[in-house]
Amino acid sequence: MAKGASLSGFPEWLPEERVVEQQAIDTLRRIFELNGFLGIETRAVEQGSSLLKKGETSKEIYLLSRLQEVGQENDTPVEDRLGLHFDLTVPLSRYVVEHSGDVAFPFKRWQIQKVWRGERPQEGRFREFIQADIDVVGNGDLPSHYEVELPLVMVSALEALRAFGLPKATVHANNRKLSEGFYRGLGLDDIEGVLREIDKLDKIGADEVSKLLISECGATEAQAKACLELAELSASTGEELEREFRALCAKHGIEESSDAYALAAEGLSTLAMIVDEAARIRPGSVVADLKIARGLDYYTGSVYETFLDGAASLGSICSGGRYDNLATQGKKKYPGVGLSIGLSRLVSYMLHTAGAHANRQSPAAVLVAVWNEDERGEANRIAEALRSRGIATDVAPTAAKLGKQIKYADKLGIPYVWFPGQEGAGDEVKNIVTGDQEAADRTSWQPDTVYSRQTVEYGD
Amino acid sequence: MAKGASLSGFPEWLPEERVVEQQAIDTLRRIFELNGFLGIETRAVEQGSSLLKKGETSKEIYLLSRLQEVGQENDTPVEDRLGLHFDLTVPLSRYVVEHSGDVAFPFKRWQIQKVWRGERPQEGRFREFIQADIDVVGNGDLPSHYEVELPLVMVSALEALRAFGLPKATVHANNRKLSEGFYRGLGLDDIEGVLREIDKLDKIGADEVSKLLISECGATEAQAKACLELAELSASTGEELEREFRALCAKHGIEESSDAYALAAEGLSTLAMIVDEAARIRPGSVVADLKIARGLDYYTGSVYETFLDGAASLGSICSGGRYDNLATQGKKKYPGVGLSIGLSRLVSYMLHTAGAHANRQSPAAVLVAVWNEDERGEANRIAEALRSRGIATDVAPTAAKLGKQIKYADKLGIPYVWFPGQEGAGDEVKNIVTGDQEAADRTSWQPDTVYSRQTVEYGD
């Protein structure tokens, strides 16, 4: 059926796959709320002017036009049209400014929503996908302790997703001020350019990046080499980080008294605080990794990327950073720190690599059998009695032969079939997984714990 | 701030309002799952050809174009472009056909998702809003008992929403076959036309509808009068319905032996079954109301509209019906019965009329105070200990004066403030609502039940 064919880049899960996605979302929400984040949802559309504000034309925005206006939509400049949001950060910054009088600052929010990008679909890259974000936004200023706390909330969220087959996650942190100070100390000026090339390290390797630094950013061969040496630096304690960074500055002649060094030192101290504090709370969860650059130019301090052990092909699955200038209102600034999980890609990994699957397709724990259509009313009453005690219950679609009713339960993974008592006999319930059958009272029977709830398991 | 100004028709709730929406969604999902419905989510976009299939140009569809293609999008016919879905029924019929080999039939699904319509925004009519749907779809055939069970699931869902301030809901049911048989028995042929005019009764009154039936549907004055008499018929038992309908047929000379009467009798018997069965399970929840027509032409049997006591201005808040021909694949048919709640309109009513509000803005039950920034690590450890026992906990943003920290908790509605013990003293926790303060152990303390969870209340 051609018209109904799947659309490339718009993933849609089957019901049993959707259970995995829904429970992953529930899990993230639980962790975010446990940490005191407030849930919001923003409209799916933003003004073109907001979407294009940061020069994000590369984001492949989807613009809307009303069917009745087809043919005239281009009379309206793109800035005045509506487009679908391509992330949840731009909408947050607009939301905070719009509602600044109505939210308490620092404003800690979680948001799990679909975003859309008209990019060419690839393995794990979708045109419609779910992001799961947390951010904290201050009014005027924002304490730096959030730069360690937010990645740690994400670490604990990703830890909770290990129940769905995700490997251990490690946050790799860097600081823009540290990188910028170092590059300036070397005599480089095109900071954004250098960050952009360094961001390509994993993709194209050091040799190619070195060439680009020379050809695109005006670096000498020695400067390019120094930039790559900085990118090689990683550390799991603040003390190690500081020692190695000082040694690198000394090697390349960056004076500790220079303005450039002072800028780098600011970033260095925040980054050292992050790895040390993280090591105290969750050892091994956060490392300093000075090749982390992040493509987006609105980051002004800490930047984060997160990798899963043994799943390099996924790339960074949770990224973010500190942004001081994204949301402004006149002279007022709303600095923020935030991280975003690309959830659809993770769900795809859970389903297709980790073998995550629902223990059953239906939420129902019981199917009530129907002996004949005249007795459907009694089956419905049994179902109501079970539901009133919180037991999810389905009723057989038809009074087909018993084998067919059991087959329907089996296909949906419903573990129990309830047999209404006939001719004065009592009700019985059969566990169709174990084969056990027993007398049961609709007002007191409970399913065994292992069969009571729809859950997610993983592995083959 | 003009750029950040609200977009008319795109509602966006403040965090404390969002709690109401989120908990209403959670409640609906719980009821749907309790009844054995499987959750799915479909992509936000469909092909133009699907969206326009039923001649739905009046739906004011939003079409998409990629930013990079602006100016060329009209080279592509509307049928081949992507548009945002305007309901969840068209996507379901496409989903069922596309995945017919992978789902168990009858396929019972719930779906709660945003839909978009480019209509002129009005009081309670949005351009972006959430629908909450349940449908059951058969492969080839579908037993008629679902025509009573599905409205009853919605009744119990709406019953659960009374905790958010909704008044009692009553489903008004009719049957297309009954109406069509009666109109044909009168000698009328333009059945869709008559249904369309009858659908306007509540808006424009009987006199205007009568005029339209005469001018638009070729009815005589007597035929128009008979149509209006049918529309006036309502009944709360099958027996009453059958008696009144027979009397009306006799009055207007519709022979019980005619083909038209036979068609009407099919509808009559289903409708009688629905009101009687509903009366047995949930007395007063469903009435037969023969003016219910439903504008959409894909309904082939039962049709439903649901009204809230004392909230006439909301109109029907949950509508649907049986559709036998919406989803087809070659000669195969997938008949369905479904109902849809316009959730955003209900949430708007809950917030603005019923006075629904969260007991607190933050999900956190406790705020851990920070005496000075050097002791933040200890505050974080207390928070972790509480969270590990499922108690949602926030930590003070800064080591400001205690009054300011308590004010932050108060603004977010966090009921408890935790004071880390200093200089060997034990921890204490203060309920800032009651003023009670007591010694507390982070490994065992529990908030009082009334303060433990974020809940929704209503009334002023």
Side-chain angles (χ1 to χ4, degrees), chain A residues 196-405:
Chain A
R196 195 165 48 238
E197 305 308 340
I198 290 291
D199 198 35
K200 299 176 184 164
L201 254 176
D202 279 346
K203 275 187 197 142
I204 62 175
D207 286 353
E208 292 303 312
V209 168
S210 175
K211 282 179 203 162
L212 287 168
L213 288 172
I214 293 165
S215 66
E216 303 299 315
C217 311
T220 64
E221 209 152 307
Q223 286 170 327
K225 192 158 173 286
C227 290
L228 289 166
E229 282 178 22
L230 181 75
E232 276 170 21
L233 205 162
S234 70
S236 48
T237 68
E239 193 272 329
E240 180 190 359
L241 173 68
E242 291 192 24
R243 190 179 62 238
E244 301 226 356
F245 184 73
R246 274 167 199 270
L248 205 62
C249 287
K251 180 177 172 189
H252 294 285
I254 301 174
E255 302 271 344
E256 301 211 356
S257 59
S258 65
D259 289 351
Y261 190 90
L263 179 65
E266 269 185 51
L268 183 68
S269 110
T270 305
L271 187 56
M273 182 238 352
I274 290 175
V275 292
D276 283 345
E277 187 63 20
R280 251 195 299 278
I281 299 176
R282 289 187 174 266
S285 60
V286 180
V287 296
D289 179 351
L290 277 58
K291 75 168 173 296
I292 300 300
R294 305 282 295 123
L296 294 169
D297 60 4
Y298 53 66
Y299 293 112
T300 50
S302 298
V303 286
Y304 319 98
E305 294 196 344
T306 311
F307 301 95
L308 294 179
D309 282 2
S313 67
L314 277 184
S316 174
I317 51 116
C318 173
S319 314
R322 175 168 185 136
Y323 45 89
D324 281 349
N325 309 313
L326 187 60
T328 55
Q329 190 175 29
K331 281 186 180 169
K332 220 176 214 178
K333 286 189 180 182
Y334 299 95
V337 181
L339 289 101
S340 174
I341 294 178
L343 189 63
S344 296
R345 191 185 296 187
L346 280 193
V347 170
S348 183
Y349 176 92
M350 292 169 189
L351 292 170
H352 302 132
T353 305
H357 55 275
N359 66 336
R360 60 178 187 247
Q361 208 181 117
S362 169
V366 190
L367 178 79
V368 182
V370 176
W371 297 118
N372 60 63
E373 287 300 333
D374 290 343
E375 293 176 48
R376 178 169 296 278
E378 175 63 5
N380 284 337
R381 276 187 289 277
I382 293 168
E384 275 306 306
L386 294 169
R387 287 173 191 144
S388 72
R389 295 190 297 111
I391 299 167
T393 307
D394 202 354
V395 176
T398 64
K401 282 185 182 159
L402 196 54
K404 210 174 160 190
Q405 296 188 42

Side-chain angles (χ1 to χ4, degrees), chain A residues 95-121:
Chain A
Y95 183 97
V96 162
V97 169
E98 193 171 323
H99 303 297
S100 59
D102 293 307
V103 301
F105 289 98
F107 178 51
K108 295 171 67 174
R109 83 87 174 83
W110 66 266
Q111 187 172 358
I112 301 179
Q113 246 179 289
K114 279 189 182 166
V115 304
W116 293 268
R117 297 182 190 173
E119 297 175 311
R120 190 177 297 276

Side-chain angles (χ1 to χ4, degrees), chain A residues 27-91:
Chain A
T27 300
L28 292 176
R29 174 181 163 195
R30 183 173 56 78
I31 301 291
F32 297 158
E33 295 195 335
L34 208 48
N35 283 274
F37 286 80
L38 283 58
I40 65 166
E41 189 153 297
T42 59
R43 61 190 193 224
V45 301
E46 297 291 334
Q47 303 272 16
S49 52
S50 287
L51 295 170
L52 295 167
K53 212 189 307 194
K54 297 282 160 183
E56 293 289 4
T57 53
S58 63
K59 281 284 182 240
E60 284 273 15
I61 296 160
Y62 279 116
L63 294 172
L64 301 191
S65 42
R66 289 169 51 210
L67 179 61
Q68 272 70 352
E69 290 169 349
V70 160
Q72 304 150 40
E73 63 267 53
N74 295 320
D75 302 349
T76 309
V78 167
E79 286 72 14
D80 294 337
R81 291 178 58 183
L82 296 178
L84 294 174
H85 56 212
F86 55 78
D87 72 5
L88 304 179
T89 307
V90 171

Side-chain angles (χ1 to χ4, degrees), chain A residues 4 26 29 98 108 145 397, chain B residues 4 26 29 98 108 145 394 397:
Chain A
D26 293 345
R29 174 181 163 195
E98 193 171 323
K108 295 171 67 174
H145 62 80
Chain B
D26 292 346
R29 173 181 163 195
E98 192 170 323
K108 296 171 67 174
H145 62 80
D394 201 356

Side-chain angles (χ1 to χ4, degrees), chain A residues 1 3-7 10 12-15 18 22 26 29 33-45 47 52 57 60-68 70-71 73-74 78 81-82 84 94-95 97-99 102-108 110 113-114 116 118 127-128 143 145-146 149 277 328 361-364 373 376-377 380 387 390-394 397-398 408 411-412, chain B residues 1 4-7 10 12-15 18 22 26 29 33-45 47 49 52 57 60-68 70-71 73-74 78 81-82 84 94-95 97-99 102-108 110 113-114 116 118 127-128 143 145-146 149 277 328 361-364 373 376-377 380 387 390-394 397-398 408 411-412:
Chain A
M1 170 113 186
K3 276 186 186 174
S6 287
L7 284 179
F10 292 86
E12 213 170 50
W13 311 120
L14 289 172
R18 170 67 184 156
Q22 179 73 66
D26 293 345
R29 174 181 163 195
E33 295 195 335
L34 208 48
N35 283 274
F37 286 80
L38 283 58
I40 65 166
E41 189 153 297
T42 59
R43 61 190 193 224
V45 301
Q47 303 272 16
L52 295 167
T57 53
E60 284 273 15
I61 296 160
Y62 279 116
L63 294 172
L64 301 191
S65 42
R66 289 169 51 210
L67 179 61
Q68 272 70 352
V70 160
E73 63 267 53
N74 295 320
V78 167
R81 291 178 58 183
L82 296 178
L84 294 174
R94 194 258 318 147
Y95 183 97
V97 169
E98 193 171 323
H99 303 297
D102 293 307
V103 301
F105 289 98
F107 178 51
K108 295 171 67 174
W110 66 266
Q113 246 179 289
K114 279 189 182 166
W116 293 268
R127 292 181 153 193
E128 172 177 84
H145 62 80
Y146 288 113
E149 284 158 22
E277 187 63 20
T328 55
Q361 208 181 117
S362 169
E373 287 300 333
R376 178 169 296 278
N380 284 337
R387 287 173 191 144
I391 299 167
T393 307
D394 202 354
T398 64
Y408 172 82
K411 199 166 179 190
L412 286 167
Chain B
M1 168 110 187
S6 287
L7 283 179
F10 291 87
E12 214 170 51
W13 311 121
L14 289 172
R18 170 68 184 155
Q22 180 73 65
D26 292 346
R29 173 181 163 195
E33 295 195 336
L34 207 49
N35 283 275
F37 287 79
L38 283 60
I40 65 166
E41 191 154 296
T42 59
R43 61 190 193 224
V45 301
Q47 302 273 16
S49 51
L52 295 169
T57 53
E60 283 274 15
I61 297 160
Y62 278 116
L63 294 171
L64 302 191
S65 42
R66 289 170 51 212
L67 179 62
Q68 273 71 351
V70 161
E73 63 267 52
N74 295 320
V78 168
R81 292 177 60 183
L82 297 178
L84 295 174
R94 193 259 317 145
Y95 183 97
V97 170
E98 192 170 323
H99 303 298
D102 293 307
V103 300
F105 288 99
F107 179 51
K108 296 171 67 174
W110 66 267
Q113 246 180 288
K114 279 188 183 168
W116 294 268
R127 293 182 151 191
E128 172 178 85
H145 62 80
Y146 288 114
E149 283 158 23
E277 187 64 20
T328 56
Q361 207 180 120
S362 169
E373 286 300 332
R376 178 169 295 278
N380 285 336
R387 288 173 191 144
I391 300 168
T393 307
D394 201 356
T398 64
Y408 172 82
K411 199 165 179 189
L412 286 167

Side-chain angles (χ1 to χ4, degrees), chain B residues 73-247:
Chain B
E73 63 267 52
N74 295 320
D75 301 349
T76 310
V78 168
E79 286 71 15
D80 294 339
R81 292 177 60 183
L82 297 178
L84 295 174
H85 56 211
F86 55 79
D87 73 7
L88 304 179
T89 308
V90 171
L92 172 67
S93 70
R94 193 259 317 145
Y95 183 97
V96 162
V97 170
E98 192 170 323
H99 303 298
S100 59
D102 293 307
V103 300
F105 288 99
F107 179 51
K108 296 171 67 174
R109 83 87 174 81
W110 66 267
Q111 188 171 356
I112 301 178
Q113 246 180 288
K114 279 188 183 168
V115 304
W116 294 268
R117 297 182 191 173
E119 298 175 310
R120 189 178 298 277
Q122 295 173 8
E123 171 81 32
R125 182 186 286 182
F126 302 120
R127 293 182 151 191
E128 172 178 85
F129 57 99
I130 296 175
Q131 286 198 335
D133 283 26
I134 51 171
D135 286 80
V136 56
V137 178
N139 185 350
D141 52 17
L142 185 72
S144 60
H145 62 80
Y146 288 114
E147 291 174 57
V148 55
E149 283 158 23
L150 266 77
L152 288 179
V153 173
M154 280 308 203
V155 164
S156 83
L158 292 167
E159 201 60 35
L161 291 185
R162 293 182 73 173
F164 300 78
L166 276 202
K168 179 181 179 302
T170 308
V171 176
H172 293 239
N174 189 8
N175 191 291
R176 281 278 174 95
K177 289 179 185 170
L178 188 159
S179 302
E180 179 172 349
F182 185 82
Y183 302 151
R184 289 203 188 281
L186 293 175
L188 291 165
D189 288 321
D190 180 8
I191 308 303
E192 282 184 26
V194 175
L195 287 169
R196 197 165 46 239
E197 305 309 340
I198 292 290
D199 199 34
K200 298 175 184 165
L201 256 176
D202 279 347
K203 277 187 197 142
I204 62 175
D207 287 352
E208 291 301 315
V209 168
S210 176
K211 283 180 203 162
L212 288 168
L213 288 171
I214 293 165
S215 66
E216 304 298 317
C217 311
T220 64
E221 212 153 305
Q223 286 170 329
K225 194 160 170 283
C227 290
L228 289 166
E229 282 178 21
L230 183 75
E232 276 170 22
L233 205 163
S234 70
S236 50
T237 70
E239 193 273 327
E240 179 190 0
L241 173 69
E242 292 191 25
R243 191 179 61 237
E244 300 225 358
F245 184 73
R246 274 167 200 270

